């Protein structure tokens, strides 16, 4: 099955991400993307998890509350009877570029190399710019080459916003 370049996100979920992002300006925040991969091999985000109450927010990075996020992921997985799970991460660049940093790319590789993540092709979403309007960039890890100087092949994704009633 081929990999398409579309990324689906529920309108209410995108609004929630933007609201969390605005609440934390001028520092970064973020969390998990939850949902499923469609029959066309496209990530479909139905929910997010925020950084969590014990997260540490800084100007150029944040450290999530991993225990909180894991609990939220497990709860979502159970409530959807295993149909929806972890797809990747999202975070903000309040005063930065609307693109993945070298650190973001490294995180994508680490996610793909972690069997318990459940995904070899994680998605990373960056919201940049800040209020009043956050710009969004999404990338997906397609593959990792092996060897001494292994490289990650990324795909920029085209945002498709959907209303829950439409699915």
């Amino acid at each position: 099955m081929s990999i398409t370049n579309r990324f689906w996100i529920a309108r209410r979920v995108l609004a929630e991400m933007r609201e969390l992002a605005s609440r934390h300006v001028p520092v970064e925040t973020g969390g998990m993307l939850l949902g499923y991969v469609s029959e066309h091999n496209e990530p479909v985000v139905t929910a997010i998890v925020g950084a969590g109450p014990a997260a540490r927010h800084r100007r150029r990075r944040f450290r999530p509350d991993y225990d909180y996020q894991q609990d939220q992921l497990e709860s979502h997985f159970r409530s959807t009877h295993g149909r929806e799970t972890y797809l990747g991460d999202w975070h903000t660049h309040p005063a930065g570029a609307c693109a993945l940093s070298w650190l973001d790319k490294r995180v994508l590789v680490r996610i793909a190399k972690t069997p318990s993540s459940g995904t070899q092709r994680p998605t990373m979403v960056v919201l940049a710019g800040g209020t009043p309007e956050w710009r969004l960039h999404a990338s997906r890890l397609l593959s990792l080459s092996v060897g001494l100087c292994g490289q990650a092949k990324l795909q920029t994704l085209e945002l498709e916003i959907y209303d829950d009633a439409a699915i």
Side-chain angles (χ1 to χ4, degrees):
M1 176 176 284
S2 66
I3 306 286
T4 70
N5 71 333
R6 290 194 300 184
F7 162 76
W8 296 85
I9 188 165
R11 185 176 311 280
R12 66 172 170 71
V13 173
L14 183 56
E16 182 182 356
M17 288 170 65
R18 287 178 169 152
E19 194 277 321
L20 286 170
S22 295
R23 192 183 311 163
H24 284 89
V25 169
V27 295
E28 286 195 8
T29 194
M32 293 178 160
L33 301 168
L34 307 181
Y36 61 93
V37 177
S38 76
E39 62 191 37
H40 301 292
N41 215 3
E42 299 168 340
V44 179
V45 177
T46 61
I48 60 166
V49 175
R56 298 177 66 195
H57 306 269
R58 303 282 185 259
R59 283 194 179 273
R60 300 199 190 281
R61 65 178 58 183
F62 85 101
R63 181 179 176 88
D65 180 343
Y66 294 110
D67 292 336
Y68 168 82
Q69 288 189 332
Q70 188 62 38
D71 288 346
Q72 295 298 304
L73 171 61
E74 289 171 9
S75 176
H76 187 82
F77 184 80
R78 282 191 308 274
S79 73
T80 62
H81 306 286
R83 289 187 301 270
E84 296 184 10
T85 191
Y86 175 76
L87 296 175
D89 288 348
W90 70 275
H91 69 282
T92 60
H93 290 173
C98 192
L100 298 186
S101 68
W102 66 269
L103 183 59
D104 298 336
K105 293 173 186 174
R106 200 169 85 188
V107 168
L108 271 177
V109 169
R110 187 172 54 229
I111 293 167
K113 288 184 171 182
T114 303
S116 62
S117 76
T119 179
Q120 294 178 335
R121 293 190 183 97
T123 299
M124 176 79 70
V125 172
V126 171
L127 287 101
T131 56
E133 188 62 40
W134 290 90
R135 296 180 318 280
L136 186 139
H137 171 87
S139 289
R140 185 183 206 187
L141 182 68
L142 290 182
S143 64
L144 291 171
S145 62
V146 294
L148 196 54
C149 297
Q151 290 206 338
K153 183 176 179 183
L154 300 177
Q155 177 185 47
T156 298
L157 300 175
E158 182 180 314
L159 176 67
E160 298 282 350
I161 301 170
Y162 71 91
D163 291 313
D164 290 319
I167 296 292

